[in-house]
Amino acid sequence: MMDHRPSNEINSGLVGEEPLNEQESPALLAFTQELEALLGPVPPREERRARANRSAFLTAAADQFTTPVPAPARWQGWWRRLLLQGTTLVLFFSVSWMSARVASAGSLPGDTLYPVKLTVEQIDLLLYDEAQWETQVQSQRLSEVLTLLQSGRKAEVEFQGTLQQSSDGSWHIGGIALDFDPEKQILIQHMCGPVRVQGVVARGEFQVLYLTPSCLSLEAPEHLLSPIPTPLIFPGRDGAPSSEPINRYLVS
Amino acid sequence: MTSDDTALLERARGGDRHALAMIYDEYSPAIYRYLYRRVGNTGLAEDLTGQVFLKLLEAFQRDQLWNSSFRGWLYRIAHNLVVDHYRKQGDRNQVELEETLESDDLGPEHGAELTIRFQKIRGALNTLTEEQAQVILLRFGEGLSNREVGEIMARSEGAIKALQHRALSALRRLLLEEEVEG
């Protein structure tokens, strides 16, 4: 910047270590004033060239600094990257989750995607009310068995429902007819609560392998306490709540 | 150099475009003026100004540090470029002044007189030693103090005073001789 101090102030340091003689001093002081007047004004910079020079400097700087990130921006950049990666992950899992859900929704026991469907249901259990979830899942299992029966495909299935006896004496769970050995009839009659059914669907027929009742009625005959397989402990038989596993009855 | 300048330089050294632009805008006008007074041609002064700042980028790349005066370093680079320019040109005394000095207070005749006088001074300046020419331009062209010129030229204030005295005496004598010859 130009210094506009008075000449005599600037020239106060003129003499320095070499004293001027008396004749030379006033002449030199006058000369310095003339110099200031002559050296002071400078023609203005040509705007176009000055701008071009500035651009060239900044372009060269940009080329030189391949990663021109100042310290604060570097810190911000770290958070931006983290946020971007987080968002990408969330998006990825959301899309994957939705795709798996849609793709496996129509799968049946024995299909490749069926385990995915069961996993999706387990995750749903974390999001929804348990009773509502249980009802939906059991309804879904029954629906799958009916579809398999209609299609004639073969698959192992497992579902749960309440045993009901028709007027003709046949037994059903959720609309699916079950065929039992007459010897097991007495056992079936004493089952209570929801019954878990495991079996095989093949050629449009359902073959029951195991029935697992929630409880047996108090009036059940004593010999039913030792059916196949043994040992058997019937939860709720003595009227008290029990955490023992539910027993299975081999029916065929 | 203030702490703000130091921080600005550090940011520029890291490649911060905004800081680099600020440095260019703050220092290039003074460097241009200095160079114009040395070479007397606006185009050449502009070219050399550009080169000074490209040298600055090279210094950043070499991780060069400025322990004393950053501004002084810029003037030194400008001075070296002028010396190189005249060395390449071969004739240091060649006067390149193209423009007429402009002033609202001066008539065209007086302006022409000033221009001729400035040409003579520039011619005479170019016959001084580089150090003498530099001290005259920094003291009377840029209006810097002895201390500031000392920082730029890496000399003590006393040495600058002595150098300035010798430079003024020599310059005045050269001009007087020229007038007598003319």
Side-chain angles (χ1 to χ4, degrees), chain B:
Chain B
M1 196 155 55
T2 65
S3 57
D4 285 350
D5 285 345
T6 309
L8 192 67
L9 265 178
E10 277 311 303
R11 283 171 52 205
R13 191 189 293 282
D16 183 341
R17 188 180 163 85
H18 184 62
L20 285 162
M22 280 177 73
I23 283 178
Y24 189 89
D25 293 341
E26 186 175 338
Y27 291 101
S28 75
I31 295 299
Y32 167 82
R33 281 197 306 272
Y34 173 80
L35 285 166
Y36 174 79
R37 288 181 185 119
R38 294 299 306 270
V39 299
N41 178 292
T42 53
L44 181 58
E46 194 65 66
D47 288 347
L48 292 175
T49 303
Q51 287 180 41
V52 168
F53 283 90
L54 292 179
K55 294 269 183 197
L56 171 64
L57 292 179
E58 289 172 17
F60 280 148
Q61 204 161 30
R62 290 195 306 270
D63 262 348
Q64 184 171 335
L65 297 172
W66 290 274
N67 294 323
S68 54
S69 162
F70 171 64
R71 182 168 59 166
W73 181 85
L74 288 176
Y75 278 117
R76 275 200 297 280
I77 295 297
H79 166 77
N80 292 340
L81 286 172
V82 171
V83 171
D84 285 348
H85 169 72
Y86 282 124
R87 193 177 294 139
K88 281 178 197 163
Q89 207 178 44
D91 182 5
R92 185 166 173 265
N93 293 321
Q94 186 179 336
V95 174
E96 298 178 45
L97 191 71
E98 290 170 352
E99 295 82 3
T100 301
L101 297 175
E102 292 173 3
S103 170
D104 294 339
D105 301 331
L106 303 172
E109 286 179 13
H110 194 186
E113 266 179 44
L114 273 179
T115 306
I116 291 166
R117 184 76 174 146
F118 179 57
Q119 282 177 331
K120 284 180 181 172
I121 286 176
R122 270 201 62 258
L125 272 173
N126 284 342
T127 61
L128 297 180
T129 66
E130 285 301 332
E131 281 194 329
Q132 286 176 341
Q134 196 178 7
V135 81
I136 294 281
L137 288 173
L138 292 174
R139 285 282 283 127
F140 303 105
E142 289 300 305
L144 302 181
S145 67
N146 283 330
R147 186 182 54 76
E148 290 170 319
V149 176
E151 272 182 19
I152 290 168
M153 296 180 70
R155 304 281 286 272
S156 69
E157 201 173 334
I160 294 298
K161 284 179 186 175
L163 181 63
Q164 176 187 269
H165 176 256
R166 284 195 299 274
L168 279 172
S169 299
L171 184 63
R172 182 167 169 268
R173 193 172 54 248
L174 281 166
L175 290 170
L176 284 174
E177 283 170 6
E178 199 175 306
E179 277 172 17
V180 169
E181 285 169 13

